[in-house]
Amino acid sequence: MIEEVVLLDGKNQPAGTMDKALVHTGQTPLHLAFSCYIHNDRGEILLTRRALSKVAWPGVWTNSVCGHPLPGESLRAAVCRRCQYELGLYVEQITSLVDEFQYRATDASGIVENEFCPIFAAFTCQPPVPRASEVMDYQWVKPEDLLNSVRATPWAFSPWMVLQLGQITQENLSLLG
């Protein structure tokens, strides 16, 4: 089955679709995505390390889950689908943190990410069961420890997470802890 991503025009409006397997190249078109930070009842945020088999940023530590909504799928439904697929987690309390986040970044291999990427928080009380093709490692961390680590070593994390943490307000960050 071909998984498609939603392409966007210059006003971030749907402008077609493209096979996900073909979209991430050195000339990646602007497309719709999301990022989600999952928190637990201990006030910790789930960080994941991307599998080495990932096309872009393999082996890099990042937020809990990222993905692309399917054509016609709501962002919240996409968050639930990808949390289940990548981490084996059912999430609840899905909350929007930043509605309009957009970034473009190029990894060491030349692969470009070019995404309009709203940011969400979600809650789970389950332990992750990562899918090896998506996630090679994970760690629950306190929000303040995450912020301190990103400030000290931004190169050790995905560029989108570094940028996102700069845009998530302290009020919204408190939703995670």
Side-chain angles (χ1 to χ4, degrees), residues 59-79:
V60 172
W61 284 95
T62 193
N63 55 290
S64 309
V65 67
C66 299
H68 306 90
L70 300 171
E73 182 181 38
S74 74
L75 286 166
R76 281 182 167 73
V79 167

Side-chain angles (χ1 to χ4, degrees), residues 94-138:
I94 299 170
T95 307
S96 175
L97 297 178
V98 178
D99 292 329
E100 296 191 10
F101 174 76
Q102 186 170 337
Y103 75 99
R104 187 178 191 283
T106 306
D107 82 355
S109 72
I111 297 294
V112 173
E113 283 285 12
N114 187 14
E115 297 181 334
F116 181 81
C117 185
I119 307 166
F120 293 88
F123 174 82
T124 192
C125 57
Q126 301 175 312
V129 181
R131 182 177 297 267
S133 61
E134 297 288 335
V135 175
M136 67 181 292
D137 200 2
Y138 69 89

Side-chain angles (χ1 to χ4, degrees), residues 116-177:
F116 181 81
C117 185
I119 307 166
F120 293 88
F123 174 82
T124 192
C125 57
Q126 301 175 312
V129 181
R131 182 177 297 267
S133 61
E134 297 288 335
V135 175
M136 67 181 292
D137 200 2
Y138 69 89
Q139 184 69 45
W140 290 101
V141 299
K142 294 286 185 188
E144 60 272 13
D145 293 339
L146 173 59
L147 291 173
N148 289 336
S149 295
V150 167
R151 281 188 207 108
T153 59
W155 45 264
F157 301 96
S158 70
W160 58 89
M161 187 178 78
V162 173
L163 293 168
Q164 288 169 355
L165 290 174
Q167 288 195 15
I168 296 172
T169 65
Q170 280 291 34
E171 179 182 336
N172 279 341
L173 195 59
S174 70
L175 293 172
L176 302 174

